[in-house]
Amino acid sequence: VRSGGPESVMIAINDEYADGRDMSWLWDVDFSRVNQPGRRVIACGERGADLAVRLEYAGIHCDLAPLPMDALAACEPGRVEVLLNYTAMRDFKIVLDRKEGKR
């Protein structure tokens, strides 16, 4: 792992109305910065399987988790980078707020 970089990266993609249903944009994303030696990448969300396929085509092996909290729990202790689209972030924040007793 490069100095100061995250040990794990969690990427969650949903395809709800607010996100847009067309996931073809995933093929336009340059994921090369995610691919670092020793870094664990975990795909999740409603379209996590589609994301996992895209990452594999980019040469990035990833694990697949059903939900963002499952993905987070599977991360190694240390710094984690979290990349979420709109509704994945909204849903993740609700879960985090509940864990902190805010809702």
Side-chain angles (χ1 to χ4, degrees):
V1 175
R2 62 186 167 86
S3 177
E7 286 79 27
S8 302
V9 176
M10 177 185 90
I11 307 173
I13 302 295
N14 287 347
D15 70 343
E16 295 180 21
Y17 183 79
D19 303 309
R21 298 275 187 193
D22 180 5
M23 293 288 105
S24 64
W25 62 268
L26 284 174
W27 294 92
D28 296 328
V29 176
D30 177 7
F31 286 103
S32 63
R33 295 186 67 188
V34 173
N35 196 15
Q36 299 291 325
R39 181 179 289 168
R40 184 170 186 196
V41 178
I42 304 171
C44 59
E46 294 168 358
R47 297 298 289 265
D50 296 299
L51 174 61
V53 168
R54 171 62 182 101
L55 291 171
E56 292 290 339
Y57 270 92
I60 302 167
H61 175 71
C62 69
D63 296 309
L64 183 60
L67 299 169
M69 286 306 287
D70 298 325
L72 189 60
C75 291
E76 301 295 326
R79 192 166 159 217
V80 177
E81 189 168 290
V82 178
L83 306 170
L84 311 168
N85 72 347
Y86 177 73
T87 63
M89 176 67 83
R90 177 201 64 198
D91 297 346
F92 191 59
K93 183 178 180 333
I94 290 169
V95 171
L96 290 177
D97 285 348
R98 285 184 184 146
K99 284 187 149 307
E100 292 182 4
K102 292 182 180 177
R103 287 189 183 184

